[in-house]
Amino acid sequence: MTKSFHGKTKRCFIHTSSLKMIEIRKQNCNPMTMKVTYYKKPVFIHQGYMQYLWDVDGTRYLDLFAGVATVSVGHCHPKVTAAAEKQLKKLWHTTLIYVYPTLQEYCEKLASYLPDPLKVVFLTNSGSEANDLAMFMARLYTGNFDIITLRGSYHGGSPMAMGLTSNAAYKYPVANGLGCTNTMCPDVFRGPWGGRHCRDSPVQTTRDCSCAQGHCAANEQYIRQLKETLATSVPPRIAAFFAEPIQGVGGAVQYPKNYLKDAFKLVRERGGICIADEVQTGFGRTGSHFWGFQGHDVIPDMVTMAKGIGNGFPMGAVVTTPEIANSFTKGVHFNTFGGNPVACAVASAVLETIIEDGTQKNSLDVGTYLMTELAKLRDKYEIIGDVRGKGLQIGVEMVKDKTSRDPLPPEDFAEIFEDVKDMGVLIGKGGVYGQIFRIKPPMCITKEDADFFLAVFNKSVHNYMEKR
């Protein structure tokens, strides 16, 4: 059954009632499921195609969050779907104890997208699992234990990875993450230092900047904080430094342009390896490069990835050097589902689709346009404090006012968030204080989609300001 809906086709489905679904969710799903359910009036998703989602009543939404930056080339992309169907008819599952073509072919293909000497691939089922494995390998290889991450980071919710994650909302009052230390995040908008030229983004902060050309005083100050951490909070020899090239859950936080280069040098001087968490920034999402770390002009010793790697199919990976990988043979590590034939077939199709569809360039073009237009809304509204990001990894930070930069209160933020959804667009939220709108859509969105969102967002903020 179909009917017209704003010039589009509205599909009507027979389904379990919404009230019954919420009842089941409350009674039979873990209570955490309700805690993380978005919106006062939840969205009941039934179907997806490319950049769109439909609810059980047939209402269409423009998806600008992609299942938390996970759907890379588009919901149910025909090429990826065909690869999954073909493999399902051939072989669903086998394990690493056998040699099977999809695993070897995919590992070789993935490695070809990374610079030397990053050529050895370990496949997992999720980003948390990949980061767990990276922690373990770093400690084995270096013989050291302590690991440093940035405040506001998110590297997973498993008991090991929880120590890497630096956001109280994701912490539990149990022992976890022993040996993990957080250092100051070089956030040039909210942090104590920052200016108009710090970050690699088409949109800069509105903060004053008196730095000479090619010189960043903010970077020097944040590196000084890292040196303080190294001098006071960890032993002289450390195992690793983890960093997202752009913080994801933290709200698309970007660092001064040379921060990672300077940080990597300090870490390596102390025996540590440098790990880039590309779970959200990888596979062309930042537009200018295939990997986020390339925008910082660094080569890490290890890269972790997940989410967009399989366009939503559960998969993750750790890629490292042969030397580091060899240290892992001191024991036996086995992952039943890591490198599953269907996962490898899907992930291989994703890599091909990114190239064939020009996904990376689309991320750059549409993302740059979207950020530039959002910056105009920042200049228009007192409560939009910052717009930042690269490609289609975008954050919009909401504040009480631009002078204090204090976070917009949660109830006010939620009002705008709900309004955007009610007008047909799904976006995410994040930040240490839950004050940042996260825009990380399937990378197939168009300029027309961006214009639709801009109109919706402008209207939602306008509605809020009128009430205030």
Side-chain angles (χ1 to χ4, degrees), residues 316-336:
V318 179
V319 185
T320 190
T321 69
E323 187 181 9
I324 294 172
N326 284 338
S327 68
F328 201 41
T329 60
K330 295 174 182 177
V332 176
H333 174 80
F334 187 78
N335 187 316
T336 301

Side-chain angles (χ1 to χ4, degrees), residues 69-333:
T70 299
V71 178
S72 46
V73 296
H75 293 282
C76 300
H77 191 290
K79 183 178 180 67
V80 181
T81 301
E85 289 175 344
K86 182 180 178 181
Q87 185 60 46
L88 281 167
K89 292 174 182 177
K90 187 186 298 181
L91 180 67
W92 280 37
H93 175 73
T94 186
T95 72
L96 295 174
I97 61 176
Y98 305 111
V99 180
Y100 49 100
T102 48
L103 174 69
Q104 277 66 232
E105 289 167 3
Y106 178 68
C107 287
E108 182 182 42
K109 185 182 290 188
L110 179 61
S112 73
Y113 283 79
L114 287 131
D116 289 331
L118 297 166
K119 294 299 172 185
V120 182
V121 179
F122 293 81
L123 295 176
T124 67
N125 306 292
S126 71
S128 293
E129 197 177 274
N131 283 331
D132 265 351
L133 188 58
M135 294 173 73
F136 191 50
M137 291 172 68
R139 286 167 169 162
L140 275 173
Y141 173 69
T142 63
N144 303 324
F145 191 71
D146 288 72
I147 297 173
I148 295 174
T149 61
L150 300 173
R151 292 176 195 160
S153 63
Y154 182 84
H155 298 285
S158 63
M160 281 269 284
M162 201 185 299
L164 301 176
T165 293
S166 178
N167 185 320
Y170 297 94
K171 298 285 192 180
Y172 284 85
V174 295
N176 65 80
L178 184 64
C180 296
T181 299
N182 308 127
T183 193
M184 180 181 283
C185 177
D187 181 347
V188 298
F189 172 73
R190 179 159 297 282
W193 305 287
R196 292 178 181 268
H197 309 287
C198 293
R199 61 196 184 201
D200 178 21
S201 173
V203 178
Q204 300 290 330
T205 73
T206 57
R207 296 177 75 169
D208 291 332
C209 184
S210 57
C211 298
Q213 189 170 0
H215 176 79
C216 182
N219 184 54
E220 290 180 356
Q221 294 289 351
Y222 289 117
I223 287 295
R224 189 170 294 158
Q225 290 298 312
L226 176 57
K227 289 178 178 177
E228 285 286 313
T229 299
L230 290 167
T232 62
S233 303
V234 294
R237 305 287 289 178
I238 63 173
F241 172 74
F242 268 82
E244 302 158 270
I246 300 173
Q247 286 192 345
V249 174
V253 175
Q254 290 180 279
Y255 326 127
K257 292 170 188 172
N258 288 319
Y259 179 83
L260 285 188
K261 185 179 285 188
D262 294 343
F264 279 21
K265 183 175 184 292
L266 289 172
V267 169
R268 285 169 174 155
E269 286 172 353
R270 286 156 179 80
I273 66 170
C274 301
I275 302 170
D277 180 336
E278 295 275 358
V279 169
Q280 294 196 31
T281 50
F283 299 92
R285 180 163 290 279
T286 63
S288 62
H289 299 88
F290 200 82
W291 305 107
F293 69 78
Q294 292 170 312
H296 295 271
D297 193 25
V298 296
I299 297 179
D301 304 295
M302 195 180 291
V303 180
T304 60
M305 58 194 77
K307 293 189 181 289
I309 191 174
N311 198 46
F313 196 95
M315 192 174 187
V318 179
V319 185
T320 190
T321 69
E323 187 181 9
I324 294 172
N326 284 338
S327 68
F328 201 41
T329 60
K330 295 174 182 177
V332 176
H333 174 80

Side-chain angles (χ1 to χ4, degrees), residues 323-398:
E323 187 181 9
I324 294 172
N326 284 338
S327 68
F328 201 41
T329 60
K330 295 174 182 177
V332 176
H333 174 80
F334 187 78
N335 187 316
T336 301
F337 296 106
N340 172 278
V342 180
C344 288
V346 166
S348 184
V350 168
L351 286 176
E352 292 168 8
T353 302
I354 289 170
I355 301 303
E356 292 173 8
D357 288 5
T359 303
Q360 182 178 323
K361 186 177 187 304
N362 191 63
S363 292
L364 179 64
D365 294 344
V366 178
T368 299
Y369 171 75
L370 185 50
M371 272 181 278
T372 303
E373 293 300 307
L374 282 167
K376 295 175 183 177
L377 297 183
R378 175 200 63 189
D379 297 340
K380 178 179 178 181
Y381 294 109
E382 180 68 10
I383 62 168
I384 302 179
D386 195 33
V387 173
R388 54 181 177 259
K390 282 186 69 178
L392 290 172
Q393 176 96 339
I394 301 170
V396 181
E397 183 148 356
M398 308 302 287

